[in-house]
Amino acid sequence: MPRIKPRTKKPVEDILLTDPQYYFNRELSWIEFNARVLQEGMNPRTPLLERLKFLAIFSHNLDEYFMVRVAGLKQQVEAGVHRRSPDGRTPSEQLQDIRDRLLPLIAKQHHHFQASLRPQLAKHGIYISNYETLQSEQRAYLRRYFEEHLFPVLTPLAVDPSHPFPYISNLSLNLAVVVRDPDSQHENFARVKVPSLLPRFVPLPVALWVLPNGRTATWVGVPIEQVVAHNLETLFPGMQIQACYPFRITRNADLDVEEDEAGDLLQAIEQELRKRRYGGSVVRLEVQSSMPDAMRQTLIEEMGIGQDDVYDIEGLLSLGHVMSLVDLPRSDLRDPPWSPVAHPRLRRLSDSSMAFRGEGEDDFFAVIRRQDVLLHHPYQSFSSSVQRFIHQAAHDPNVLTIKMTLYRTSGDSPIVESLIAAAENGKQVAVLVELKARFDEANNISWARKLEEAGVHVVYGLVGLKTHTKLVLVVRQEENQIRRYVHIGTGNYNPKTARLYTDVGLLSCRDALGADLTDLFNFLTGYSRQQTYRKLMVAPVNLRDRLLALIQREAQHSREGKHARIVAKLNALVEPGIIRALYEASQAGVEIDLVVRGMCCLRPGVKGVSDRIRVISVVGRFLEHSRILYFHNGGQEEVYIGSADWMPRNLDRRVEVMTPVEDEQLAKDLQEILGILLADNYNAWELKPDGRYVQRRAHGRSSVLKAQSVLMELAAKQSDSGANRS
């Protein structure tokens, strides 16, 4: 990223806060986040198989980045768009800068895998072997494997005047093959697609683990494309195999749905999914660096791309597939296992039967009535809290209605099963399923149909908006009154990601929150145009204005000589208007700490602009996903949680919710979480004014503080103390 241009000091009133030099580029900032992921894969302090995991995540992240972000920039260039980003770059300039930054990162990833991780894995008995190094018995086994499992499903496709160049599917691994006719000596090009439904690494049986120096093996396998490549003569009998090189393409995979013209949104999304699979322009071609120029040029011309869309790879293509090796039975090479603990106030509930037990100590609703409950995943169990809450609501005879938003959930979701059970039990169940949740569209369509078949009222959201908020509303008859219970969270209702992502959630039966959620669901499912809410900040209705007002309030407090402080934990900070407000607050004297996991377009530490703003990113074993906001407010502290990052799409094109946490103790708990993250000197990276991220290290006598480990210990201690009190 470019460094700040030297400039003379100006009075605050003369500093133009829209100047591009005060903003980092969104796309390049994302690459810097992925570079931090890669660094975890290269960090010797990280257990070996965890390093392999981070290398795989780096590759998966890049795939999605090209399919969506790079594809979007290329579309802008093709459409002749020259509008500059807040940092002053045109789309074409961004594409060039992206390539310039990615080339060394990709080279670093593959070199580290080849030169460091593979040898270290081998020392621990995990061998990703090359076909050329195998012994005769091992090759004979793989020959039989090829004949029995691969040959029947492979389809060699010739390219000649009577056979046009075949369609290459997105993210598929392929072999470009040159064969020679021994009679005519004429060379022909062919393509062989490597089967994606078979394991990328073919394991050898234990009996064939012939290892040097009598070493003990945990696993021995060979990349599947090498097995295919060394048995090509079976696919081309009578021909001479001249050359064979792997390649892989990435296509534009962003959905383009004209909702105003889509009479049936579900059907329209299904059609777009087929286009994603079978269509979309090529945005990246990955080839083995040793591929000859002539073969490379053939692929470039047939794909309709330029030289800058080609990425040379040293070694194996598509390292995302090494994720399949992370779960090998070597716990000594992974992080210590962590099992989420029961929330101390819900521990007795989690230990009892999942069946509804009525009022009393085992009644979930009684716990919430006594006091709001703050949940922190994956430190605290999702299944014994959120999942249990929805399950009990589904089976409680006093519950009348359940309303919920579903953005992403797992393929075998117990929550969806509870919603179906609720409908079968005669309750009114309404679920907003977001069909446009990127790369989860097919899964959500499947669940939407299953819910509809069970009698659940399924809504697909609002035209032009994604419903990203995470909400549950349960309406319950209690004696002579109706009471509403709510869950407002930062993470998806997905029990699998709840074990991997850090998220917080609030369970409450406060009247104002229940009334707000009732109004919001009417907005989502009906024709309501609710513009005011009692407690909630809702996008795109009032969230942007409320956030700006909260930041400006801190600035005013500082001008009045009061202590002023803002702490925000986010996934991304991109919105220029919010960034300008933060700059103005810093100029006014507000101390600002930002914990931004991914993209951050704000430039901290610039004299006269952002002197009082500090930014860190925490990248650890769990994906930091929670959004927590703190405002000092002249001593009347306010804390908010919710689903929204500070990005244009979250504020303008999505339905998002941020809720205040009004229970004083729970607000202190959230402040403690923020404090622990800010003190991290193990997984935290500091963003410098020039755009570099520098990893923190403990110095001198200071002890290592690893925030996620501290939060695990804290959760375990709290759960144990709750058990002792019960």
Side-chain angles (χ1 to χ4, degrees), residues 5 15 28 46 54 98 104 114 156 160 182 207 255 262 286 354 369 372 391 450 454 521-522 534 547 565 604 626:
K5 301 173 184 176
I15 294 176
L28 298 180
T46 304
F54 280 110
I98 286 169
Q114 289 293 118
D160 57 34
L255 295 187
E286 296 170 278
M354 283 292 284
R369 283 197 301 273
D372 290 351
H391 175 89
K450 189 170 182 180
F521 273 106
N522 289 340
R534 300 156 188 83
L547 287 173
R565 181 96 190 277
S626 56

Side-chain angles (χ1 to χ4, degrees), residues 84 115 319 322 341 714:
R84 294 183 180 273
L319 283 183
V322 300
V341 300
L714 185 63

Side-chain angles (χ1 to χ4, degrees), residues 524-686:
L524 294 174
T525 63
Y527 288 110
S528 164
R529 288 296 177 262
Q530 188 79 19
Q531 293 298 310
T532 59
Y533 293 88
R534 300 156 188 83
K535 296 292 183 180
L536 299 181
M537 296 190 286
V538 179
V541 179
N542 65 356
L543 177 56
R544 176 192 290 276
D545 291 343
R546 289 285 305 280
L547 287 173
L548 289 173
L550 290 170
I551 296 169
Q552 290 161 1
R553 185 182 65 186
E554 290 298 316
Q556 184 59 33
H557 284 322
S558 184
R559 294 187 190 101
E560 295 170 356
K562 301 175 184 176
H563 176 66
R565 181 96 190 277
I566 297 172
V567 183
K569 180 180 185 296
L570 306 159
N571 294 331
L573 172 54
V574 174
E575 166 56 36
I578 298 288
I579 293 173
R580 285 196 298 275
L582 291 170
Y583 286 158
E584 290 168 354
S586 174
Q587 291 174 330
V590 181
E591 295 296 331
I592 302 172
D593 283 286
L594 304 173
V595 184
V596 186
R597 184 198 74 213
M599 296 176 290
C600 181
C601 297
L602 177 149
R603 189 188 291 269
V606 179
K607 194 169 185 180
V609 175
S610 55
D611 313 63
R612 294 176 173 85
I613 304 179
R614 297 160 293 277
V615 180
I616 66 167
S617 170
V618 176
V619 180
R621 68 181 288 180
F622 302 130
L623 181 79
E624 289 295 337
H625 191 254
S626 56
R627 292 92 168 179
I628 307 171
L629 311 180
Y630 166 84
F631 300 91
H632 184 261
N633 188 28
Q636 302 298 310
E637 298 168 315
E638 293 183 4
V639 180
Y640 298 81
I641 65 169
S643 57
D645 289 310
W646 289 355
M647 302 177 68
R649 70 184 189 192
N650 298 95
L651 303 178
D652 302 326
R653 302 190 301 277
R654 292 186 172 190
V655 178
E656 306 274 14
V657 163
M658 301 294 294
T659 182
V661 177
E662 296 185 311
D663 182 287
E664 186 175 339
Q665 181 54 54
L666 301 189
K668 293 295 183 186
D669 291 343
L670 286 165
Q671 292 178 50
E672 182 178 22
I673 292 170
L674 292 174
I676 291 169
L677 288 163
L678 289 173
D680 188 300
N681 58 16
Y682 189 94
N683 291 126
W685 297 73
E686 293 181 357

Side-chain angles (χ1 to χ4, degrees), residues 68 195 231 320 667 676 702:
V68 178
N231 289 279
I676 291 169
S702 60

Side-chain angles (χ1 to χ4, degrees), residues 149-161:
H149 299 279
L150 293 174
F151 180 72
V153 300
L154 292 174
T155 304
L157 296 174
V159 178
D160 57 34

Side-chain angles (χ1 to χ4, degrees), residues 288-300:
Q288 210 162 54
S289 56
S290 56
M291 178 181 282
D293 290 340
M295 182 179 287
R296 182 192 306 254
Q297 192 58 37
T298 296
L299 292 175
I300 289 174

Side-chain angles (χ1 to χ4, degrees), residues 159-180:
V159 178
D160 57 34
S162 62
H163 297 89
F165 196 89
Y167 177 82
I168 310 296
S169 55
N170 186 33
L171 301 182
S172 62
L173 189 59
N174 305 270
L175 296 176
V177 185
V178 176
V179 297
R180 174 181 293 169

